């Protein structure tokens, strides 16, 4: 876990008091909304359609049970009894009163949390693999480097007012579970032949109205140089990124318009100039951060568990949960558990205060007091003994958090859409709810298999529809909400951007249209284990377009 030192605690506390004064001036009318806007954005406060929204930072999605309980407390006391987990591994409240937000920030500060840099044209929350530190396939724990980047980027004086927001993701496996190449900078931790740790660096990925896949700009940057290299990228972007048109201001546009070779030359020149300065990371600093992320006190256990196997054999629901919601752990006798926050008919990513309390209790008792938020809007228990899984599952059932749909069609990424967002052009949550009801049968979902369905309520693509195997984009056409379907997107190690199938569908038509796509896939797949994305890549979009449009 990250830890606050005295400077962090003092800084965050002072920031709360600063914002309290700014809120008082806004409420009294001393500040207009336009004057207040840049101040609130620096503290994670947006103004949505119906109310202010507060976005809380959860560094690389990692939090402990005390922090989760505080999020529950805030939801209960200051909001409407729930919070919404986001694709940047944060949590946002959709209904806080402006005059309550300083008190909320004060409560967050008491458990080493804040909302700084969750909005605005700065470096946002650094995200990572939600199985980091637990996965068996890692070159190293990516949270170490995510934390180093968090410390470097927080209130960086040169990068507080970038041309546009800037997002960084760090992974350490060949399997990309964090949509790394859909980020402005994507870092993959690797080891060279000598065992030295370094990074493959990708730049210029992003979604929004101009989706692009990040390009490899350096195959291997040593760990001591990673801050200097990222600083060089940011300096080049800050110098040349466009500020005259916010739709062309992201670094992906700079990469596209300048060309990777020319931009790489600029980055390398800047890197050569600064790499041997204070930006070079000393080994002792890296090792000190590693101490934050030492393994918990794992027991030496056999790789199998009789309690687990007996329950699998006797309880079909538990067996399906175990099949879908567990991830292999680096330590024998342990597993990582995905708590799906996607029950049938509910807004994806929303958890009630009682559910957050339940997750905190379970983590404290069974997962070394640790939880993660995934970019797919679920919550992870990273370290659970196989022996404890029956008890964990029973506790999840009691909290109505036992949906066994991880990676299936109802495990959707969905933005808040027109129900909340001032930028949205169509509603996404009601569409998601109806789709989850249409595909509610878990046996049917298992037959469909792995499938990423992602829904955005506008072209800003907060629902990541561009990288959904099936993507849905809500648009406004002369006052009517229409939904375009894209196919073939992917946010994993084979990142691809989905292709629009054709004309959009009305709200009444879209669920049937998705079912047509799924039924077509079931008809054309070569065998049951050929996934949707494999079938699409084999055949292209022709059979799906034929089924949709004739």
């Amino acid at each position: 876990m990250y830890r606050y030192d005295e400077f962090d605690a003092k800084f965050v506390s002072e920031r709360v008091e600063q914002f309290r004064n700014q809120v008082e001036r806004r409420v009294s009318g001393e500040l207009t909304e336009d004057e207040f806007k840049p101040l609130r954005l620096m503290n994670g406060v947006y103004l949505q359609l119906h109310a202010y929204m507060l976005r809380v930072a959860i560094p690389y999605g990692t939090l402990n049970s005390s922090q989760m309980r505080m999020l529950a407390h805030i939801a209960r006391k200051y909001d409407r009894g729930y919070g919404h987990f986001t694709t940047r591994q944060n949590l946002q409240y959709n209904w806080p009163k402006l005059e309550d937000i300083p008190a909320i920030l004060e409560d967050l500060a008491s458990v080493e949390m804040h909302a700084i840099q969750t909005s605005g044209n700065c470096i946002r929350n650094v995200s990572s693999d939600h199985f980091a530190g637990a996965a068996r396939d890692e070159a190293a724990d990516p949270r170490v480097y995510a934390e180093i980047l968090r410390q470097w980027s927080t209130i960086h004086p040169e990068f507080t007012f970038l041309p546009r927001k800037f997002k960084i993701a760090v992974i350490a496996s060949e399997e990309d579970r964090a949509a790394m190449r859909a980020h402005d900078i994507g870092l993959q931790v690797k080891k060279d032949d000598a065992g030295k740790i370094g990074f493959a660096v990708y730049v210029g990925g992003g979604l929004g109205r101009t989706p692009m896949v990040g390009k490899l700009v350096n195959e291997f940057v040593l760990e001591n140089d990673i801050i200097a290299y990222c600083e060089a990228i940011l300096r080049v972007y800050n110098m040349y990124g466009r500020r005259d048109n916010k739709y062309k201001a992201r670094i992906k546009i700079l990469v596209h318009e300048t060309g990777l070779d020319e931009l790489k030359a600029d980055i390398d020149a800047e890197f050569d100039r600064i790499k041997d300065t204070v930006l070079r990371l000393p080994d002792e600093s890296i090792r000190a951060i590693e101490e934050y992320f030492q393994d918990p006190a794992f027991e030496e256990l056999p790789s199998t568990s009789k309690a687990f196997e007996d329950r699998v054999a006797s309880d079909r629901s538990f067996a399906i949960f175990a099949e879908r919601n567990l991830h292999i752990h680096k330590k024998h006798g342990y597993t990582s558990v995905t708590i799906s926050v996607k029950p049938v008919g509910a807004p994806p990513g929303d958890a009630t205060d009682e559910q957050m309390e339940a997750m905190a209790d379970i983590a404290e008792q069974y997962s070394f007091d640790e939880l993660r938020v995934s970019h797919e809007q679920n919550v992870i228990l990273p370290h659970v003994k196989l022996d404890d899984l029956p008890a964990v599952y029973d506790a999840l059932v009691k909290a109505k958090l036992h949906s066994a749909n991880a990676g299936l069609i109802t495990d959707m990424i969905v933005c808040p859409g027109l129900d909340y967002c001032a930028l949205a052009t169509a509603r996404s949550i009601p569409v998601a709810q109806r789709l989850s009801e249409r595909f509610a049968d878990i046996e049917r979902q298992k037959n469909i298999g792995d499938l990423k369905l992602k829904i955005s309520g506008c072209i800003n693509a907060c629902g990541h529809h561009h990288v959904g195997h099936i993507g849905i984009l809500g648009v406004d056409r002369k006052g009517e909400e229409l939904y375009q379907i894209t196919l073939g997107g992917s946010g994993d190690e084979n990142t691809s951007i989905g292709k629009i199938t054709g004309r959009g569908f009305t709200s009444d038509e879209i669920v049937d249209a998705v079912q047509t796509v799924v039924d077509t896939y079931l008809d054309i797949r070569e065998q049951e284990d050929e996934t949707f994305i494999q079938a699409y890549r084999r055949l292209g979009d022709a059979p799906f377009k034929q089924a949709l449009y004739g």
Side-chain angles (χ1 to χ4, degrees), residues 241-533:
R242 291 181 60 171
R243 296 177 187 270
D244 61 320
N245 184 339
K246 71 176 185 178
Y247 302 120
K248 297 183 181 296
R250 297 289 292 268
I251 194 172
K252 61 188 176 185
I253 303 298
L254 182 64
V255 173
H256 178 71
E257 293 185 348
T258 305
L260 183 64
D261 290 343
E262 183 176 340
L263 199 70
K264 175 176 168 51
D266 289 340
I267 293 169
D268 288 346
E270 184 65 16
F271 173 61
D272 286 342
R273 199 175 68 79
I274 64 177
K275 66 181 181 181
D276 293 321
T277 66
V278 294
L279 293 170
R280 181 176 174 78
L281 274 170
D283 287 339
E284 55 269 29
S285 296
I286 300 171
R287 305 291 87 82
I289 298 298
E290 283 180 348
E291 289 296 316
Y292 292 7
F293 301 97
Q294 291 298 304
D295 284 343
F298 293 128
E299 299 174 35
E300 293 299 326
L301 297 170
S303 58
T304 59
S305 161
K306 185 175 185 307
F308 172 68
E309 298 296 341
D310 286 351
R311 184 68 179 265
V312 167
S314 62
D315 183 339
R316 175 66 177 161
S317 296
F318 178 83
I320 295 174
F321 181 87
E323 178 185 341
R324 295 304 316 182
N325 290 41
L326 304 186
H327 189 267
I328 191 166
H329 198 278
K330 66 182 180 182
K331 192 73 177 172
H332 287 310
Y334 288 84
T335 188
S336 299
V337 179
T338 295
I339 303 174
S340 170
V341 195
K342 318 280 178 61
V344 172
D350 281 10
T352 67
D353 58 327
E354 292 178 346
Q355 289 175 321
M356 286 189 266
E357 295 272 10
M359 289 189 278
D361 291 344
I362 296 168
E364 189 172 58
Q365 186 169 358
Y366 297 109
S367 186
F368 296 96
D369 199 31
E370 192 174 328
L371 303 110
R372 311 281 177 76
V373 179
S374 75
H375 89 281
E376 295 188 319
Q377 300 178 290
N378 289 317
V379 176
I380 310 297
L381 300 168
H383 315 294
V384 176
K385 284 196 289 189
L386 292 174
D387 290 339
D388 290 336
L389 270 175
V392 168
Y393 179 73
D394 291 342
L396 292 174
V397 170
K398 189 176 180 181
K400 299 181 180 177
L401 288 166
H402 59 293
S403 297
N405 60 351
L408 297 176
I409 189 170
T410 59
D411 184 13
M412 293 172 266
I413 290 180
V414 182
C415 76
L418 198 53
D419 287 291
Y420 299 100
C421 181
L423 301 176
T425 51
R427 285 167 291 183
S428 49
I429 291 174
V431 172
Q433 290 172 302
R434 286 188 283 128
L435 281 166
S436 76
E437 290 165 352
R438 175 68 64 90
F439 292 96
D441 184 335
I442 190 63
E443 297 293 348
R444 184 184 182 196
Q445 290 188 62
K446 286 179 70 236
N447 180 44
I448 295 167
D450 292 346
L451 200 157
K452 305 290 188 185
L453 174 57
K454 307 185 181 188
I455 307 174
S456 299
C458 77
I459 196 62
N460 291 301
C462 294
H464 291 192
H465 68 278
H466 293 301
V467 290
H469 299 165
I470 300 175
I472 297 175
L473 167 63
V475 297
D476 177 88
R477 288 285 184 273
K478 299 179 180 179
E480 183 180 21
E481 294 173 38
L482 290 181
Y483 296 87
Q484 293 178 344
I485 291 178
T486 57
L487 299 176
S490 178
D492 61 10
E493 60 278 10
N494 299 306
T495 302
S496 56
I497 303 299
K499 186 176 177 183
I500 297 173
T501 56
R503 67 167 176 80
F505 298 89
T506 67
S507 179
D508 290 338
E509 295 169 336
I510 185 61
V511 174
D512 288 337
V514 171
Q515 180 169 323
T516 297
V517 170
V518 171
D519 288 344
T520 302
Y521 152 66
L522 294 174
D523 288 340
I524 64 175
R525 66 183 177 184
E526 288 189 319
Q527 58 273 332
E528 285 193 6
D529 62 353
E530 185 182 42
T531 64
F532 180 91
I533 191 66

